[in-house]
Amino acid sequence: MTLILVPTVGVEDWQRLLADPDLHWKPNYSAHSFAHCWQSAKGFPASVKRLFDSAGFFPGIEALLVLPEHQVPLPGGNRPSQSDAWVLARWSSGLLSIAVEGKTAESFGPTLGEWTRNASPGKQARLSFLLQTLGLVQQPAGDIRYQLLHRTASALIEAKRFHAGNAVVLVHSFSTRNEGFADYSRFVGLFGASAEVDRLIRANSCGEIELYFGWIREMA
């Protein structure tokens, strides 16, 4: 992946970065809704800013960089972890790495049980790396969604790369029914925290990095 980045001009630039631009770019799909929301915001969308302001963890927070479809390489295969957006933010006491996942009605993909069935050596190596990165001493239950594992790891990896002391995983939901929240809640529980809609919560730290989770319900 190149280190040279080109600013977006419009939502079409978000579309071309998708893994499958034709399949995933449709009205009411998460990629489409997410891109329109974030591109027009020119920083944090209002709902995201409210989430941070109400939590009070990061006074004075502002987005420095917003990278659409940001890829973080992982060992054990060629496919990286690709966030809908990754944000490098600053607040009064330092930097913050934020991995953002947009959702509508689609799931978080395969469960860990499904993903590890007949796992290749590459998958085994990747899972071992993820567990180590996340500070999990045991493999989670099979109903945990694999996507949430590697997305959280990507937020931590980028926090280390940019010397940020905090990492956040945000789910930006465009579903009126908060579909997928139960899966998200089970995952957050692995880190000693209880998930809530429209609230940023602090979880167990991962080494020197403080970890946070948030679920945002975007209201029409």
Side-chain angles (χ1 to χ4, degrees), residues 1-78:
M1 183 177 65
T2 181
L3 298 180
I4 300 173
L5 304 175
V6 178
T8 62
V9 175
V11 293
E12 296 80 8
D13 293 314
W14 296 66
Q15 180 184 6
R16 66 179 175 80
L17 295 171
L18 293 169
D20 190 330
D22 294 326
L23 177 64
H24 297 150
W25 192 257
K26 297 178 182 179
N28 299 321
Y29 275 45
S30 62
H32 188 274
S33 299
F34 185 86
H36 279 81
C37 181
W38 281 77
Q39 179 69 30
S40 62
K42 303 185 185 306
F44 286 128
S47 57
V48 178
K49 189 64 166 61
R50 284 195 300 269
L51 183 84
F52 280 109
D53 289 345
S54 63
F57 293 128
F58 305 108
I61 189 171
E62 62 174 318
L64 300 177
L65 294 172
V66 180
L67 305 185
E69 300 298 329
H70 181 62
Q71 298 181 3
V72 176
L74 300 173
N78 296 323

Side-chain angles (χ1 to χ4, degrees), residues 81-164:
S81 180
Q82 184 166 331
S83 299
D84 289 328
W86 177 75
V87 182
L88 180 65
R90 70 178 176 188
W91 60 297
S92 60
S93 296
L95 296 175
L96 186 64
S97 165
I98 309 172
V100 192
E101 189 69 21
K103 285 296 174 192
T104 50
E106 72 272 32
S107 75
F108 286 102
T111 64
L112 187 57
E114 293 166 339
W115 187 79
T116 56
R117 189 175 298 131
N118 301 318
S120 65
K123 281 190 173 184
Q124 294 171 7
R126 174 166 291 198
L127 180 58
S128 177
F129 171 81
L130 292 176
L131 296 181
Q132 182 179 12
T133 301
L134 298 174
L136 299 174
V137 296
Q138 293 182 337
Q139 181 173 320
D143 62 348
I144 294 296
R145 297 287 176 171
Y146 166 66
Q147 184 186 91
L148 291 169
L149 284 169
H150 67 79
R151 194 70 76 243
T152 304
S154 73
L156 292 166
I157 290 168
E158 294 301 74
K160 292 178 182 178
R161 185 158 75 104
F162 286 88
H163 301 282

